[in-house]
Amino acid sequence: MNARQNPLNKFESFMQRMIERPFARLFPSRLEPVELQRHLERAMEDNTLLQGEGRRLAPNIYDIYLSIKDHQQFTASQAMLIRDWQNHLVEFARHRRYTLRTMPVIRLHASSELAVSDVRIEAEIADGQAGGAMATQALSAEQLAQIRAALPQGQQLPGITSSPAQPAQPAPPAHGQGSNPNFPNYPPPTPAPQVPQQAMPPAWLTIRLPQAGQQIYRIEKPVVNIGRQLSNDIIVEDKRVSRYHAQIKFQDGHFAIFDLGSTNGITINHTPHMRQHVLRPGDTFTIGSYDFQFERR
């Protein structure tokens, strides 16, 4: 399939940004949802692909980058705003006669490189089939439910799931019904005795965010996931961070941090590229642009 972007739309969009940006910096004002809606419309138009018979395929993945201050402004109402923007993009595509492979996926990111009221949107087209990883990489269960609720009754949402699907495990044959001659009917194994779980002591992380002060995260469960994916317990908005970057586990009376196969590893107590470490009070570690300090009683 021969496909190309619309160069005229991209040039017009570039000239509009060149005119608007200096005024926005001279007279900064509160960024309103309707402005982001216009940016999304522009991103859709700029990144359509020309298909056969004059049809245009519109992007279905939109990553919105905002200043930290603007990102915090939208945090409380983010789920509702994303749902509204998704529905608007569907109507906008229908009005322009664009093709959408799936319901638009919209993700908000905080960037320390952007000034207040600045917006950067990266739009792309992901495969709507089951193998389309880009359509699945950052949807939480809550977002997925909201997207499905916005669809007309009975319509399915292709290629979008809340987390990577686990392969179905075949159920073992019942005792006395072994159908495979290579596996005789041995008695079922005796369940392992349950070991009482040791009570977790109070523990917490002091998280220093880039240009945004610090936050306290209390560790209240035995496994805490850290990464860029929205389903993590602690979300690190940094492109250098893997979707599932690290994990803190409580086991044998200790807290330990493990790297989950990330590209850049973890800097622990100023030592880079570490893969695991038993955490002690006062230990520090860095993931992307976020600094963490561990404490426990």
Side-chain angles (χ1 to χ4, degrees):
M1 176 184 71
N2 293 325
R4 61 183 179 88
Q5 293 182 333
N6 186 344
L8 181 59
N9 281 347
K10 292 183 69 67
F11 176 74
E12 291 176 346
S13 177
F14 171 77
M15 293 302 298
Q16 188 170 358
R17 287 195 298 269
M18 292 294 292
I19 295 171
E20 290 177 352
R21 189 167 296 171
F23 282 96
R25 289 181 175 172
L26 284 173
F27 308 102
S29 59
R30 178 186 176 93
L31 187 62
E32 298 294 339
V34 68
E35 295 178 64
L36 281 178
Q37 184 172 288
R38 288 197 293 267
H39 281 285
L40 285 166
E41 292 175 358
R42 194 177 304 161
M44 176 178 279
E45 288 188 318
D46 290 351
N47 292 278
T48 58
L49 293 180
L50 183 61
Q51 297 182 300
E53 301 177 355
R55 293 179 301 164
R56 289 197 173 275
L57 182 62
N60 54 347
I61 306 290
Y62 297 83
D63 286 293
I64 305 174
Y65 294 88
L66 307 170
S67 70
I68 293 173
K69 182 176 180 180
D70 288 329
H71 185 269
Q72 291 173 337
Q73 167 191 328
F74 292 118
T75 298
S77 55
Q78 176 174 320
M80 180 183 66
L81 289 172
I82 287 177
R83 185 173 63 248
D84 291 344
W85 291 331
Q86 287 169 329
N87 292 334
H88 178 78
L89 284 180
V90 170
E91 290 302 317
F92 185 79
R94 184 176 295 128
H95 179 71
R96 290 288 197 278
R97 299 185 182 277
Y98 296 156
T99 300
L100 274 170
R101 284 179 173 170
T102 66
M103 191 74 169
V105 175
I106 300 175
R107 304 180 291 224
L108 291 178
H109 308 275
S111 172
S112 58
E113 300 176 355
L114 294 177
V116 173
S117 297
D118 277 355
V119 178
R120 186 176 84 250
I121 297 182
E122 296 178 2
E124 59 184 300
I125 298 171
D127 189 357
Q129 302 302 317
M134 286 303 299
T136 67
Q137 71 176 17
L139 282 181
S140 67
E142 180 186 2
Q143 285 179 309
L144 181 63
Q146 291 165 350
I147 294 175
R148 282 176 171 158
L151 291 174
Q153 186 174 3
Q155 182 176 340
Q156 298 297 316
L157 190 62
I160 297 183
T161 57
S162 58
S163 60
Q166 299 297 323
Q169 299 296 327
H175 181 53
Q177 297 180 358
S179 58
N180 191 332
N182 297 320
F183 295 91
N185 291 324
Y186 292 119
T190 303
Q194 294 292 327
V195 179
Q197 180 69 32
Q198 186 173 1
M200 284 177 50
W204 63 94
L205 298 170
T206 302
I207 309 174
R208 294 179 178 86
L209 309 175
Q211 301 181 7
Q214 66 182 33
Q215 297 178 3
I216 301 296
Y217 178 87
R218 300 194 179 278
I219 301 175
E220 298 177 340
K221 57 182 186 176
V223 178
V224 174
N225 293 304
I226 306 173
R228 186 162 45 89
Q229 174 89 354
L230 295 179
S231 58
N232 285 289
D233 301 292
I234 300 175
I235 302 168
V236 179
E237 298 281 1
D238 191 319
K239 279 190 169 182
R240 297 170 294 175
V241 174
S242 299
R243 296 199 298 273
Y244 299 99
H245 196 102
Q247 190 175 78
I248 295 176
K249 281 187 176 182
F250 178 72
Q251 53 189 17
D252 301 325
H254 300 284
F255 290 92
I257 186 168
F258 299 89
D259 178 80
L260 298 179
S262 69
T263 302
N264 298 313
I266 312 168
T267 297
I268 303 176
N269 294 329
H270 308 292
T271 302
H273 307 299
M274 294 189 67
R275 297 299 175 180
Q276 64 182 53
H277 176 75
V278 175
L279 292 167
R280 298 174 178 84
D283 279 353
T284 62
F285 59 93
T286 300
I287 296 177
S289 54
Y290 287 30
D291 296 319
F292 300 78
Q293 181 171 327
F294 173 80
E295 298 290 348
R296 63 167 288 182
R297 291 180 186 167

